[in-house]
Amino acid sequence: MADTKTALVTGASRGIGRAIATALAREGMDVAVVATADSPAAQKTMDLIRSEGRKAYFAPLDVSNFAACGDCVAKLLEEAGNIDILVNNAGITRDKLLLQMREADFDDVIAVNLKGAFNMTKALLRHFLKKKSGNIINISSVVGLMGNAGQANYAASKAGLIGFTKSVAREYAAKGIVCNAICPGYIETDMTRQMPEDAREKLRAAVPMQRPGLPEDVAAAVVFLSHAPYITGEVLRVDGGMYI
Ligand code: NDP
């Protein structure tokens, strides 16, 4: 079908990325799944997309590798023919108090969470410019707005992503390309399950809506932005009121 849209979602093998990929497929889009490896988890996301009657593409990629991002996007564009929406969702944590944080903990988190979004946006920009449209959605975090003890590296990467989002929005608004950020609060996924139970309990207690977020809560905001052509440079919290 000529007017079927295609979305590329990084970090779509699990958690929030999988929920985003599935929700966009439910909206009638074909979806390219990007994750570090072709794992059973990535295959499950592909199955979920197909069960919505949409096409699923897959590419293994380390988003922190600039050259690999270019190659990956070129390959997916060849396969899919078109990409309309880029969701920069891949992310990692290396939580430690600053005193214990090693240089590699800082560099790795910035490389995946912040540079990864730069790499993927750069890789798709010419395609978006050529067709005079594109929708970029960056998954930041409330921690990028408020900071968090034990997450100086992660908070810096997520705050950086907000600055990146607003700059891209300003730079390409006149070219039909929109760019927005979503800031999830505390969402139960593999990422938060690896935190100590007392830290998780503290986060749960900080949510005015008195429940942890679900990956589907974040996916609903992505679906909204995917249909919102006049919104750009926006930072949308999906946090149950955590950062009011
Ligand atoms: P998960 O740890 O559950 O999933 C992370 C995903 O990112 C996986 O698909 C993983 O792929 C992929 N990934 C990790 N490193 C790379 C890399 N170098 N290149 C490509 N893909 C990579 O995380 P969540 O679903 O919880 O988080 C998704 C996003 O939401 C992240 O950006 C996170 O920072 C953000 N966020 C999460 C919150 C939460 O409470 N969970 C709160 C606020 C923001 P693979 O399976 O191959 O490892």
Side-chain angles (χ1 to χ4, degrees):
M1 222 197 317
D3 58 356
T4 298
K5 286 193 173 175
T6 303
L8 189 168
V9 184
T10 68
S13 55
R14 298 184 273 125
I16 293 171
R18 175 186 282 165
I20 293 169
T22 310
L24 292 177
R26 197 166 298 139
E27 288 298 300
M29 295 179 212
D30 294 337
V31 185
V33 170
V34 165
T36 62
D38 189 359
S39 60
Q43 283 302 325
K44 171 143 189 233
T45 304
M46 307 274 284
D47 289 344
L48 288 166
I49 295 163
R50 291 189 191 108
S51 71
E52 298 294 338
R54 304 312 327 166
K55 282 190 197 142
Y57 305 92
F58 177 78
L61 175 70
D62 174 359
V63 295
S64 69
N65 182 329
F66 181 80
C69 288
D71 293 345
C72 170
V73 165
K75 176 183 162 267
L76 287 172
L77 276 173
E78 206 176 294
E79 268 182 72
N82 178 41
I83 292 172
D84 301 280
I85 295 169
L86 167 64
V87 185
N88 285 310
N89 166 78
I92 58 168
T93 51
R94 296 280 183 272
D95 296 354
K96 283 185 186 79
L97 294 175
L98 194 55
L99 208 54
Q100 278 90 40
M101 194 174 284
R102 296 167 308 139
E103 185 183 6
D105 297 323
F106 192 86
D107 289 347
D108 290 354
V109 168
I110 298 289
V112 175
N113 299 7
L114 181 55
K115 191 175 166 231
F118 163 80
N119 291 344
M120 291 303 287
T121 305
K122 278 280 287 183
L124 262 168
L125 194 55
R126 282 185 202 286
H127 175 69
F128 286 164
L129 284 170
K130 215 185 296 170
K131 63 195 195 106
K132 298 186 176 65
S133 75
N135 190 332
I136 303 161
I137 301 169
N138 295 321
I139 307 301
S140 178
S141 167
V142 284
V143 164
L145 299 170
M146 61 194 242
N148 195 22
Q151 291 196 308
N153 50 358
Y154 183 80
S157 74
K158 295 300 187 178
L161 196 49
I162 291 171
F164 177 73
T165 300
K166 292 183 177 179
S167 302
V168 172
R170 283 184 181 275
E171 230 172 275
Y172 296 102
K175 305 285 183 193
I177 299 169
V178 295
C179 183
N180 295 287
I182 291 175
C183 289
Y186 173 70
I187 314 292
E188 288 202 330
T189 65
D190 291 349
M191 181 177 274
T192 43
R193 274 189 282 271
Q194 74 192 8
M195 296 168 75
E197 184 48 40
D198 59 331
R200 295 172 63 190
E201 193 44 55
K202 231 159 124 184
L203 284 172
R204 276 195 288 263
V207 182
M209 284 185 72
Q210 299 189 329
R211 71 161 175 89
L214 300 170
E216 289 72 20
D217 293 320
V218 181
V222 172
V223 167
F224 165 70
L225 286 175
S226 78
H227 296 300
Y230 201 58
I231 296 179
T232 197
E234 186 56 89
V235 179
L236 180 58
R237 289 184 299 105
V238 181
D239 65 352
M242 203 173 178
Y243 187 64
I244 291 172

